[in-house]
């Protein structure tokens, strides 16, 4: 059974930083591309960043230069380092496998709230 468990969210002031973690199990992590998504209230879920099985990265324009995605195959975990947070980064953040299409059922996500 696939599990995706996001953590690391919280309340942070604008300009601050957070590091999100996603612990996974139930699938061959090292062979999969991984991605972070976010969903703000009343909006659709959007792709934020993705990392391929070979380490290639793609970052959404809205967070480019501020967010970094990384992975640890030994821990079956993917991370999102978020710097210079802005009010419009407030959302629930989710991870999933897959480059273009999420492969598995969504986890609970982790709430990120940026305050002024």
């Amino acid at each position: 059974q696939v599990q995706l468990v996001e953590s690391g969210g919280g309340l942070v002031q604008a300009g601050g930083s957070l590091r999100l973690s996603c612990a996974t199990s139930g699938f061959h992590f090292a062979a999969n591309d991984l991605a972070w998504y976010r969903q703000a209230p009343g909006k659709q879920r959007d792709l934020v960043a993705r990392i391929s099985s070979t380490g290639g990265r793609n970052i959404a324009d809205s967070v480019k230069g501020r967010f970094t995605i990384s992975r640890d195959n030994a821990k079956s975990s993917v991370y999102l380092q978020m710097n210079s947070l802005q009010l419009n980064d407030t959302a629930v953040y989710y991870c999933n496998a897959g480059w273009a299409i999420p492969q598995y059922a969504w986890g609970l996500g982790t709430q990120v709230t940026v305050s002024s």
Side-chain angles (χ1 to χ4, degrees), residues 12-16 38 62-64 66-67 83-91 93 112-116:
V12 62
Q13 286 192 323
R38 67 184 181 186
S62 59
V63 303
K64 195 168 292 183
R66 300 188 297 120
F67 289 14
N83 299 328
S84 301
L85 282 161
Q86 302 171 356
L87 295 178
N88 59 7
D89 293 320
T90 293
Y93 285 72
V112 172
T113 303
V114 184
S115 65
S116 58

Side-chain angles (χ1 to χ4, degrees), residues 40-88:
K43 296 189 176 181
Q44 67 181 17
R45 193 170 314 189
D46 291 328
L47 178 69
V48 175
R50 50 192 176 181
I51 184 167
S52 74
S53 60
T54 56
R57 293 170 172 83
N58 177 254
I59 308 294
D61 287 343
S62 59
V63 303
K64 195 168 292 183
R66 300 188 297 120
F67 289 14
T68 303
I69 188 170
S70 61
R71 63 190 295 161
D72 186 336
N73 289 343
K75 296 183 179 180
S76 296
S77 294
V78 60
Y79 307 98
L80 187 68
Q81 178 67 43
M82 307 187 297
N83 299 328
S84 301
L85 282 161
Q86 302 171 356
L87 295 178
N88 59 7

